[in-house]
Amino acid sequence: MNDSVRQFTVAADDDGIRVDRWCKRHLPDTSFTTVAKWARTGQLRLDGARVGPGDRVTAGQVLRLPPAEPVRTDAKPKRQRPPLSEDEVAFAREMVIHQDPAAFVLNKPPGLATQGGTKTTAHVDGLLDALQFDAEGRPKLVHRLDKDTSGALLVARTSRAAAFFSKAFSGRSAKKVYWALVVGVPSIDDGTIDLPIAKQPGTGGEKMHVDEENGQPARSRYRVIERAGNRACWVELQPFTGRTHQLRVHMAAIGHPIVGDGKYGGPAAFLTGGISRKMHLHARRIRVDHPDGGAIDVTAELPTHFAESLTGLGFDEAAGDALPADTRPPVTREDRKAKARAHAKQVRKARRGERRGRGARGD
């Protein structure tokens, strides 16, 4: 058994990824629960400071981990992913709408989860072996879409590309444009929703809500494309932050829930007159810089139910793509204040960790 702590220097290919993803990539037998325990007990350090599983690493930093656990001879063999069927391989490859040496873009159908979880066995991550082809490693997810949200999903083909794209998403340089049908019509055609979001207590983290006091900053842009009287309208949405269920929470919070989103809109989220009860939220377009230069800019076709609802309400799909190019709003004074507060919080957290560490050692 090795009693020494382990130290690893973060490579360029891992720049910008989360600590837990670094561990999954380089220590595949280490569970998230174990990484979280290391963080909670102060055994997980980055350049000497305590970090959490969700913190990000930078090339050249030194990650310190506790000694390796002894190998158990009675441990159960690691569960292997079952081989994909021909139908699953064909299904995975049919989702591909863009392919280059660094990335795939998939058009994810509604109803398919991005990753597995409790009672979730069918998901995009489980199908990625079908897209490995001759590459050394399997493709890697770099962001997520909700199970019932359809549309453009970026997948990295190499570790280098995954690190590059992860940094683009965490730095908010990647642009995502969504289309949605919402109940009613906002009084302002082009608006910004700036409402902090947190996990709703008592839901086990499965549901989010607006929390002005303890929520994380969340900002979304919406633009009305077309309206069906006062009954419903078709909107373009763009998230400027990446909170869980952000667009769904924000639209419900201003009184215009996304059609089919009973979780946040309740019974009022469903329209009569033959409009599908499925979620009407679609990741229409994704644009992100390419690690080899240039950019990936891909548009995903609508799922059948969404396209039929547009037609049923008398909307012309071409109107959505005819909107003038959107631009990111300028950084406001409040944005700068929020960033400064977040940085100060991280510094205080690191200092508390150092003090606890010295106290535990008796220094």
Side-chain angles (χ1 to χ4, degrees):
M1 176 180 175
N2 181 8
D3 293 325
S4 303
V5 296
R6 294 171 289 173
Q7 297 192 43
F8 303 88
T9 300
V10 177
D13 283 354
D14 295 325
D15 186 62
I17 68 172
R18 289 163 48 117
V19 171
D20 56 347
R21 290 201 176 272
W22 187 97
C23 292
K24 184 177 181 181
R25 182 178 295 177
H26 297 282
L27 305 169
D29 292 331
T30 303
S31 68
F32 176 82
T33 302
T34 299
V35 176
K37 179 182 176 183
W38 290 345
R40 192 170 59 251
T41 56
Q43 300 179 83
L44 189 63
R45 301 271 176 154
L46 190 61
D47 283 349
R50 292 176 65 148
V51 289
D55 292 324
R56 296 184 182 272
V57 300
T58 301
Q61 289 185 309
V62 175
L63 187 65
R64 193 189 81 177
L65 306 178
E69 294 286 337
V71 178
R72 289 180 53 186
T73 56
D74 62 339
K76 294 181 181 179
K78 188 176 179 181
R79 189 175 180 180
Q80 299 293 319
R81 287 189 300 272
L84 299 176
S85 68
E86 290 184 7
D87 286 345
E88 287 174 322
V89 170
F91 175 65
R93 294 179 179 178
E94 285 170 1
M95 286 193 288
V96 176
I97 54 176
H98 168 85
Q99 177 178 345
D100 66 50
F104 294 106
V105 178
L106 312 181
N107 188 358
K108 187 188 83 66
L112 178 65
T114 303
Q115 290 179 293
T118 306
K119 299 181 182 179
T120 302
T121 56
H123 46 85
V124 173
D125 193 37
L127 297 171
L128 293 183
D129 286 334
L131 305 179
Q132 183 169 338
F133 298 109
D134 296 327
E136 291 184 9
R138 71 195 302 265
K140 300 167 179 61
L141 295 169
V142 291
H143 69 119
R144 295 177 56 186
L145 291 176
D146 294 345
K147 179 178 179 180
D148 294 320
T149 301
S150 56
L153 181 70
L154 181 71
V155 178
R157 300 188 69 178
T158 66
S159 294
R160 171 177 170 267
F164 181 90
F165 292 134
S166 293
K167 201 166 186 177
F169 279 97
S170 64
R172 310 302 171 202
S173 62
K175 178 180 177 181
K176 294 179 285 184
V177 174
Y178 292 75
W179 282 359
L181 283 182
V182 302
V183 177
V185 181
S187 57
I188 301 172
D189 283 348
D190 185 339
T192 299
I193 305 168
D194 196 345
L195 294 171
I197 292 174
K199 292 180 180 179
Q200 184 170 311
T203 65
E206 292 296 319
K207 192 173 181 181
M208 312 298 286
H209 72 143
V210 171
D211 186 337
E212 297 275 7
E213 197 170 317
N214 300 308
Q216 295 291 316
R219 199 174 185 205
S220 306
R221 169 86 176 275
Y222 72 85
R223 295 196 287 179
V224 174
I225 302 171
E226 289 192 346
R227 61 186 68 202
N230 293 321
R231 181 186 181 207
C233 69
W234 170 24
V235 296
E236 177 194 88
L237 301 172
Q238 186 176 352
F240 294 129
T241 49
R243 309 302 173 200
T244 301
H245 299 172
Q246 176 175 316
L247 298 177
R248 298 166 61 186
V249 173
H250 273 175
M251 294 312 295
I254 65 169
H256 301 286
I258 294 170
V259 173
D261 187 9
K263 185 169 194 169
Y264 291 103
F270 301 96
L271 298 179
T272 57
I275 300 299
S276 172
R277 293 180 64 84
K278 291 182 180 180
M279 177 95 79
H280 287 72
L281 179 61
H282 177 73
R284 176 63 170 178
R285 180 183 175 192
I286 188 167
R287 187 193 184 283
V288 62
D289 290 340
H290 195 283
D292 298 324
I296 296 171
D297 193 344
V298 180
T299 297
E301 291 299 313
L302 288 170
T304 301
H305 79 277
F306 201 141
E308 289 178 346
S309 293
L310 289 185
T311 301
L313 291 169
F315 297 152
D316 180 2
E317 188 174 325
D321 293 320
L323 280 180
D326 191 15
T327 57
R328 187 178 296 274
V331 176
T332 66
R333 185 179 178 184
E334 285 303 314
D335 292 333
R336 288 192 290 270
K337 285 183 178 178
K339 188 173 182 179
R341 286 195 297 268
H343 176 70
K345 184 178 180 181
Q346 286 294 104
V347 171
R348 290 195 300 272
K349 182 179 177 182
R351 287 175 179 169
R352 285 198 301 269
E354 290 172 1
R355 287 198 295 270
R356 283 197 294 267
R358 287 197 295 269
R361 293 194 302 269
D363 293 347

